[in-house]
Amino acid sequence: TTRSIITAEFLRQGRMMKAVVVEATGGVEVLQYKDHEAPPQFSPQNKALVKNEYAGLNFIDTYHRSGLYPRELSPFILGQEGGGVIEGLPNDVDSDHLGFKVGDRVVYGAFGSYAEYTSVPLDKLVPVPDDMDMKTAIACMTQGLTAHYLSSSVGAGIAKEGDWVLVYGVGSGTGQWTSQMCKLQGYKVIGTTSKGKVSDINNAKSAFGCDELIILENATGKSYADYTSVDISSKVMDITDGKGCKLIIDGIGKDTYEVSLQCLAKRGLFVSFGNASGAVPAFPVLRLLPQSAYMTRPKLNDYVATREELLERAKDVFTWVKEGKLNIVIDRVFELEQVRAAHEYLENGGAKGKVLLKL
């Protein structure tokens, strides 16, 4: 008995699908929207075949495209976040497939999401709540789960309720999620954002989950922030009465790590989790000495290392969204064939929320 809604005739034809393929790393010009062989209906490797509705666009996709984070396979299908409907399951009748069945709505974090179909490990699939739309559910994955571990796990035991934390880039992306979740943890939040993403400062503070908001000039000719336009460390010290921040969550990288080191409180933690402006260069560990500070460079996969942890974090994020505790913004939806424009939009700092690709 077949476990898939894909017809046998369709399978015999040797299925092709539309996908975004990278054959050589570089700028947006290397993104090829083309026909590509589709994954098989059945897999002996405990995977499900997902017919994608949307793929999530994240900065890490630009790092894979550029080669900053090398991918093992070449050529490869870009993307690592998506969602849709299960169309096929492993053809092993003795498995319960973790409770999944054909037709289930799911989201996931796995390579190859910029495509009509993706073969996804079963233990990476997350069921979509019945009362949540697919776009919102996908937005909860990479950015929502990253914000969850950044706000609740990385600094646990270092930052405590009532402590000041600094979160960069709260006007969009992961920063927007993280600042709100830090408030849910009971922290006092200082956020930074560019002038172009703020129309009313009081409304912006509330929307971004910040107690204090440092507004920066836009970089020349761009819509992202110029981190040299404001003396961030002086403002942070004024706000915190000279004590600094117990937790600094920095997804910007090269342009802000010096500022982050200057803003640390005694025994504070500098969390560098992204490279929006470029990778943080090596620096002497003695730079941490004045504040007896800590530093970490975490990644999401190590904080959803087990299925139980993945589902626990996803449940929290879904619940907070449904309860209205998180302000979720779906900023733009591009067609898959517009992938080059989508990457340019993200890298130019135009996004004010989640950016998706429609399949």
Side-chain angles (χ1 to χ4, degrees), residues 208-315:
F208 301 157
C210 298
D211 295 276
E212 298 289 343
L213 189 61
I214 299 174
I215 300 176
L216 310 170
E217 296 293 333
N218 296 340
T220 304
K222 303 291 184 181
S223 54
Y224 54 76
D226 176 0
Y227 288 93
T228 66
S229 64
V230 173
D231 187 345
I232 296 173
S233 60
S234 291
K235 286 189 173 293
V236 166
M237 289 303 170
D238 286 344
I239 293 168
T240 63
D241 295 326
K243 294 179 180 179
C245 294
K246 276 288 189 177
L247 182 62
I248 295 177
I249 300 176
D250 185 344
I252 308 302
K254 183 179 68 174
D255 287 356
T256 51
Y257 81 98
E258 289 280 1
V259 176
S260 295
L261 291 172
Q262 294 166 14
C263 292
L264 281 166
K266 296 292 184 186
R267 291 159 59 179
L269 174 64
F270 169 28
V271 182
S272 176
F273 78 95
N275 316 284
S277 65
V280 174
F283 62 86
V285 70
L286 284 174
R287 294 289 303 279
L288 302 174
L289 179 62
Q291 302 293 61
S292 294
Y294 307 93
M295 181 186 175
T296 185
R297 206 316 178 177
K299 63 181 187 295
L300 174 60
N301 282 348
D302 291 332
Y303 286 85
V304 288
T306 66
R307 178 154 183 79
E308 291 72 24
E309 191 172 27
L310 169 63
L311 293 179
E312 182 180 346
R313 292 192 191 280
K315 180 182 177 181

Side-chain angles (χ1 to χ4, degrees), residues 56-62 80-81 114 142-143 346 354-355:
L57 183 58
N58 298 287
F59 263 103
I60 195 169
D61 301 343
T62 71
Q80 64 165 35
E81 175 187 56
Y114 285 20
T142 300
Q143 293 178 351
L346 187 69
K354 185 64 180 177
V355 180

Side-chain angles (χ1 to χ4, degrees), residues 59 143-144 146-147 150 166-182 189-192 207-210 249-252 273:
F59 263 103
Q143 293 178 351
T146 297
L150 288 173
L166 172 64
V167 182
Y168 292 96
V170 298
S172 63
T174 303
Q176 194 173 68
W177 289 81
T178 305
S179 57
Q180 296 178 75
M181 290 191 199
C182 283
V189 180
I190 303 170
T192 75
F208 301 157
C210 298
I249 300 176
D250 185 344
I252 308 302
F273 78 95

